[in-house]
Amino acid sequence: MHALLGQLPVGLSIGAVLLLVALGLNFTFGQMGVVNMAHGEFLMAGAYTAFVLQAWFGAQSVLVGLPVAFVVVGLMGLALERGLIRHFYGRPLDTLLLTWGVSLILQQVARDVFGAPNVDVAAPGWLAGGVDAAGVRLHYSRLFILALAVLCVLAVGWYLARSRTGRQMRAVTQNRQLAACSGIDTARVDQITFFIGSGVAGVAGVALTLIGPIGPTLGSTYIVDAFLVVVVGGLGQLRGAVLAAAVLGLLNAYAEFWSDASLAKVVVFAVIIAFLQVRPQGLFVLRSRALT
Amino acid sequence: MLRVEGLTAGYGRAQVLFGIDLEVPAGAVVSVMGRNGVGKTTLLNTVMGVLPATGGRVLFDGADITRRGTHARVRGRIGYVPQGHGTFPQLTVEENLLVAWEATGRRDPGGVAAALGVFPRLRELLKRRAGFLSGGQQQQLAIARALVTDPRLLVLDEPTEGIQPSIVAEIEEAITTLHQNRGLTVLLVEQYLDIALRLADAFTVIDRGSVVRQGGRAELRDGEIQRLLAI
């Protein structure tokens, strides 16, 4: 019984990672509908930002890296949107190929700059160790990721619901043409959306350095999971993404507990496929009164 | 105030407007009339930059705005209510107004209150999501949203289409009041002849993308517009 209960924090911790990597996609894919295959490489760029900062800040590079990676990776996303993606709006297949190409380029750049082998980013001393609960050891680093995920969700939720640009973002998502007719500079909103979405991916990347070593292919490990969370949660739905990440994380933990890691993956994918058969629109959908 | 010169536009290879000339003097209410599919909405969309002009010019207060973005035209104080009571369905009524007000770059809440003054009925609905309002309420919200930016010219595309009669009367009254009390200039597309005849003091009838008749109320003989609009 204790062992069963012990899987709960493990699952939530996996869910927190899933949520963090998916949160940025909630902007670029969820709000704007852009399939950005380079999102995984933005995670990787965030992770390497922390790695680079290590030269100056040592073990505190993770903490310093969170805001720095947000800006650095955010600017990368902005450059991608301005330079390439905006010329392909309304052409999802072309965007998919394009961003996949960008993702390969970024991987190779990382290989050339940082080398192919994985590298370590030292965690701050105060994140070493953990607490024992219900027979399972909870690492402080995992708890830190959980707290970071909660913080990020609250920040993003506040931003979308309350801030001026967040409101404009939702307006553009719901009716782009009407947004322009209301005086909103939609191109500027697109830029801000992409900056924030990519920046959040950078933050998630820094968090990933706490889980294990990082390498040029870090992104490809998480890209599928990130898209799954957004699709299962419902496009652009923050609470959907939170719920989906938690459920998928728990499912993963328990399936792994009863079988093994690879079988757990199979179980998770099977459940997702079955779920999307029943509810292709995801957990949450935008509802409104149908207009005649 | 607004001057359209030889405007051409279309969708891809299908040209819809074949050189439209139109003048909206300051303080006037001009109605664009025409049967379905002759290019009325296309004309308004091109005037607002939603659709790019392929030729001709759009002048606002003498300045050439033909190449400006839609949002820049709106910030230049042209309000636009597109066809089909457009609102942001997932935003509340208040947010619908706020988002337009904030787009002007101003921070004080003045514009929202002023727009609510025109349609007081919306005050009770501020916290409701726009998508759950009735068609008539949505149209009032759409017009209020366009008024938030304090426009000097209001462009309306079929403001009374598919709306219950009592609200049509309210909308009609609001337009009249804005015109008479605040001197708002209006460019309007209106299907219902009786409403157009009550509101407008000048008419432009278009057919197949060209102007076929233009004139003030006095210049158009009784029944002439009816004949031009007959199917």
Side-chain angles (χ1 to χ4, degrees):
Chain A
M1 188 60 211
H2 263 216
L4 210 59
L5 213 64
Q7 291 307 305
L8 200 69
V10 175
L12 288 180
S13 154
I14 298 174
V17 175
L18 287 177
L19 184 58
L20 272 177
V21 298
L23 209 51
L25 269 188
N26 201 51
F27 280 86
T28 54
F29 183 47
Q31 298 282 334
M32 288 172 71
V34 171
V35 178
N36 179 18
M37 294 301 285
H39 182 78
E41 278 55 49
F42 285 167
L43 299 170
M44 182 262 288
Y48 274 111
T49 303
F51 174 72
V52 170
L53 288 172
Q54 210 168 209
W56 291 282
F57 298 98
Q60 298 308 318
S61 68
V62 169
L63 224 46
V64 181
L66 291 173
V68 174
F70 180 80
V71 176
V72 169
V73 182
L75 290 176
M76 281 174 69
L78 187 62
L80 180 66
E81 198 273 342
R82 283 290 84 189
L84 292 171
I85 289 177
R86 76 179 162 118
H87 303 293
F88 293 86
Y89 282 145
R91 291 156 65 184
L93 286 179
D94 296 333
T95 310
L96 189 127
L97 274 178
L98 180 85
T99 52
W100 187 50
V102 170
S103 102
L104 294 179
I105 291 170
L106 288 177
Q107 280 184 27
Q108 192 53 45
V109 169
R111 236 172 251 127
D112 290 343
V113 176
F114 302 105
N118 285 356
V119 295
D120 270 312
V121 179
W126 46 270
L127 280 184
V131 286
D132 288 307
V136 171
R137 187 157 181 80
L138 281 179
H139 293 280
Y140 284 138
S141 57
R142 287 285 185 167
L143 291 175
F144 178 77
I145 291 176
L146 194 63
L148 185 68
V150 171
L151 207 68
C152 284
V153 166
L154 290 179
V156 165
W158 176 86
Y159 179 80
L160 283 173
R162 297 267 171 265
S163 80
R164 184 166 158 266
T165 44
R167 229 183 331 263
Q168 294 188 351
M169 207 174 277
R170 286 188 292 149
V172 172
T173 305
Q174 286 167 39
N175 192 335
R176 174 168 291 267
Q177 189 177 312
L178 190 65
C181 293
S182 306
I184 297 170
D185 187 345
T186 54
R188 211 178 108 81
V189 171
D190 289 341
Q191 291 165 29
I192 296 171
T193 310
F194 232 87
F195 175 82
I196 294 179
S198 308
V200 171
V203 170
V206 175
L208 291 181
T209 65
L210 294 172
I211 296 178
I214 58 163
T217 57
L218 178 79
S220 35
T221 322
Y222 290 100
I223 184 76
V224 175
D225 289 338
F227 272 103
L228 283 181
V229 168
V230 176
V231 171
V232 169
L235 278 188
Q237 295 291 312
L238 192 57
R239 56 200 171 135
V242 172
L243 191 61
V247 169
L248 292 182
L250 288 170
L251 192 65
N252 210 314
Y254 280 99
E256 205 172 314
F257 179 67
W258 279 309
S259 55
D260 57 71
S262 45
L263 201 58
K265 265 276 180 249
V266 175
V267 170
V268 170
F269 280 128
V271 169
I272 289 173
I273 291 169
F275 172 76
L276 289 178
Q277 293 293 324
V278 185
R279 260 187 98 79
Q281 67 276 49
L283 287 169
F284 290 95
V285 212
L286 296 175
R287 264 192 307 268
S288 77
R289 186 164 170 163
L291 290 176
T292 46
Chain B
M1 181 179 275
L2 180 79
R3 200 184 162 89
V4 174
E5 296 175 350
L7 198 65
T8 60
Y11 305 90
R13 286 201 194 129
Q15 193 174 347
V16 177
L17 302 180
F18 296 87
I20 300 271
D21 294 303
L22 182 69
E23 173 98 45
V24 184
V29 177
V30 176
S31 178
V32 176
M33 320 279 299
R35 284 170 290 183
N36 282 333
V38 298
K40 301 187 296 292
T41 296
T42 306
L43 172 62
L44 295 195
N45 274 338
T46 313
V47 164
M48 292 310 296
V50 173
L51 195 70
T54 52
R57 298 201 299 168
V58 179
L59 301 163
F60 185 62
D61 281 342
D64 189 342
I65 59 166
T66 321
R67 301 279 158 242
R68 273 193 216 162
T70 302
H71 66 93
R73 298 181 205 210
V74 174
R75 289 180 194 179
R77 294 177 69 193
I78 307 179
Y80 185 31
V81 183
Q83 200 170 16
H85 13 104
T87 58
F88 303 108
Q90 294 299 315
L91 299 189
T92 63
V93 169
E94 190 175 25
E95 286 175 324
N96 263 275
L97 299 174
L98 211 52
V99 86
W101 172 247
E102 288 167 337
T104 62
R106 283 170 290 190
R107 303 265 173 175
D108 58 306
V112 174
L116 285 173
V118 179
F119 293 109
R121 187 192 282 270
L122 293 175
R123 279 218 182 92
E124 310 141 35
L125 304 167
L126 280 178
K127 300 293 171 198
R128 291 274 295 277
R129 288 196 182 192
F132 291 102
L133 303 185
S134 73
Q137 291 167 333
Q138 291 196 9
Q139 182 65 309
Q140 291 185 319
L141 174 59
I143 298 173
R145 199 206 59 246
L147 291 174
V148 155
T149 48
D150 190 23
R152 296 175 53 225
L153 170 66
L154 185 63
V155 180
L156 297 158
D157 195 350
E158 303 210 12
T160 61
E161 187 199 23
I163 286 169
Q164 64 186 73
S166 66
I167 295 197
V168 168
E170 279 180 34
I171 289 174
E172 204 184 318
E173 196 191 314
I175 296 172
T176 311
T177 310
L178 286 166
H179 172 59
Q180 286 171 354
N181 297 0
R182 288 202 220 157
L184 184 71
T185 311
V186 179
L187 173 61
L188 168 86
V189 162
E190 180 55 68
Q191 282 275 11
Y192 297 114
L193 188 61
D194 51 332
I195 296 175
L197 286 171
R198 280 201 296 272
L199 283 174
D201 37 43
F203 303 88
T204 293
V205 183
I206 57 177
D207 194 22
R208 283 183 228 139
S210 300
V211 175
V212 291
R213 189 77 168 87
Q214 222 153 17
R217 203 191 293 266
E219 292 161 57
L220 291 171
R221 278 183 292 112
D222 271 351
E224 190 181 348
I225 294 182
Q226 279 95 326
R227 193 173 46 75
L228 286 166
L229 296 178
I231 298 169

